[in-house]
């Protein structure tokens, strides 16, 4: 059996790879920035970052940071290559923001911040197609329903959006990330010398041994996901144009064929939106955890629209069901003597 994008259990927790970017080296101390200090940033200071400073990370005057602090450990604490912001300067990945405004699209900027360079126009169009496809799935999606209910409870629009976004976990919203992992395992195993069909059968079998649900395939609502075909057609064109290699596309289609083998006369198990967008994200070179992040970014637009619409409908404390409906009362079974 398979699942759809709104009913996908995880095959195990995924921890994004670490590369040390969040680990600031210290001289003799793993938990602090300088040797001999466990609780502060310098020896002899428990409440501040430097001796004699209680309120800041450096001994600073009222007019600005202390001389030399930009070259020291304080500046390293929030070191980033994503942006540079100083008085009169805003750069995104070394591109002045004034050069991007009016020239780079929002999708261009997403790519720039995540990948460190501006995309080619064809890459941006393919990414944009995936983002558009995942924008909304109506109140049938728990994230949308939760955001709409939150919007009637007196919280701000930002809180209503956060309510919906925080519903996007491994089971609802995480299938794209899991599918990128699945397809990546197939492509990797084929690269190690396995025949393609054998690699697909082995990897699918391993995933199904851990869960009866296979991320990216089947849908609890759509007999055939209307977003699948246009997305895969765009990837076909990208392969023909030499923009992407097509290995992940081939893997996804082979998985789909395998799942539907021998199911004549039964409900088909087509690739769903998570599978189709996973193909795009993988072909464009995005890491699996970013597939989830990009889906969250996309779905946030639909969450915002639904929460905003709900605020204009005048309801208060909207529940998951109309007031006229009463939940079934479950009677606890009688204990046996």
């Amino acid at each position: 059996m398979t699942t759809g994008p709104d009913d996908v259990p995880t095959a195990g927790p995924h921890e994004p790879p670490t590369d040390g970017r969040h680990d600031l080296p210290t001289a003799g101390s793993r938990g602090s920035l300088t040797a001999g200090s466990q609780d502060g940033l310098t020896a002899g200071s428990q409440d501040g970052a430097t001796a004699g400073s209680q309120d800041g990370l450096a001994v600073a005057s009222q007019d600005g940071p202390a001389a030399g602090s930009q070259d020291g450990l304080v500046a390293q604490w929030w070191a980033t290559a994503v942006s540079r912001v100083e008085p009169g300067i805003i750069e995104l990945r070394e591109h002045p923001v004034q050069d991007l405004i009016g020239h780079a699209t929002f999708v261009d900027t997403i790519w720039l911040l995540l990948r460190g360079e501006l995309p080619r126009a064809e890459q941006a169009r393919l990414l944009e197609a995936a983002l558009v496809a995942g924008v909304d799935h109506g109140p049938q999606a728990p994230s949308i329903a939760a955001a709409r209910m939150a919007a009637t409870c007196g919280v701000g629009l930002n809180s209503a959006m956060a309510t919906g976004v925080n519903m996007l976990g491994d089971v609802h919203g995480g299938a794209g990330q899991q599918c990128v992992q699945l397809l990546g395992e197939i492509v990797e195993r084929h690269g190690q010398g396995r025949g393609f069909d054998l690699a697909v059968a082995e990897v699918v079998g391993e995933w199904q041994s851990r869960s009866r649900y296979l991320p990216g395939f089947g849908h609890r609502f759509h007999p055939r996901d209307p977003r699948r075909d246009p997305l895969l057609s765009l990837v076909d064109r990208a392969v023909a144009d030499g923009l992407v290699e097509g290995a992940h596309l081939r893997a996804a289609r082979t998985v789909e064929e395998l799942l539907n083998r021998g199911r004549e006369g039964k409900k088909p198990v087509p690739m769903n939106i998570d599978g189709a967008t996973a193909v795009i994200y993988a072909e464009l070179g995005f890491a699996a955890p970013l597939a989830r992040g990009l889906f969250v970014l996309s779905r946030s637009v639909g969450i915002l629209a639904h929460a905003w619409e709900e605020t204009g409908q005048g309801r208060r404390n909207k529940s998951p069901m109309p007031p006229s409906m009463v939940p079934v009362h479950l009677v606890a079974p009688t204990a046996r003597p």
Side-chain angles (χ1 to χ4, degrees), residues 42-122:
T42 62
S45 172
Q46 296 183 357
D47 300 322
T50 62
S53 171
Q54 297 181 355
D55 300 320
L57 292 179
V59 179
S61 69
Q62 295 181 355
D63 299 323
S69 66
Q70 293 300 311
D71 299 323
L73 293 174
V74 175
Q76 289 293 329
W77 183 256
W78 290 112
T80 175
V82 173
S83 60
R84 176 189 173 206
V85 180
E86 298 178 8
I89 298 173
I90 301 176
E91 294 180 354
L92 305 180
R93 296 290 190 180
E94 301 184 13
H95 291 263
V97 71
Q98 61 267 29
D99 294 345
L100 298 172
I101 295 172
H103 300 281
T105 68
F106 185 48
V107 174
D108 290 337
T109 307
I110 293 169
W111 186 293
L112 173 64
L113 292 180
L114 293 179
R115 304 286 287 268
E117 60 184 8
L118 286 166
R120 295 166 52 183
E122 299 87 351

Side-chain angles (χ1 to χ4, degrees), residues 248-265:
H248 295 86
L249 174 63
R250 181 186 178 191
R253 283 190 164 134
T254 307
V255 170
E256 188 177 47
E257 293 172 3
L258 175 64
L259 294 176
N260 286 282
R261 196 171 297 159
R263 293 187 61 86
E264 293 77 7

Side-chain angles (χ1 to χ4, degrees), residues 117-139:
E117 60 184 8
L118 286 166
R120 295 166 52 183
E122 299 87 351
Q123 291 172 319
R125 282 196 292 268
L126 195 55
L127 175 59
E128 184 176 46
L131 295 174
V132 169
V135 158
D136 187 22
H137 200 252

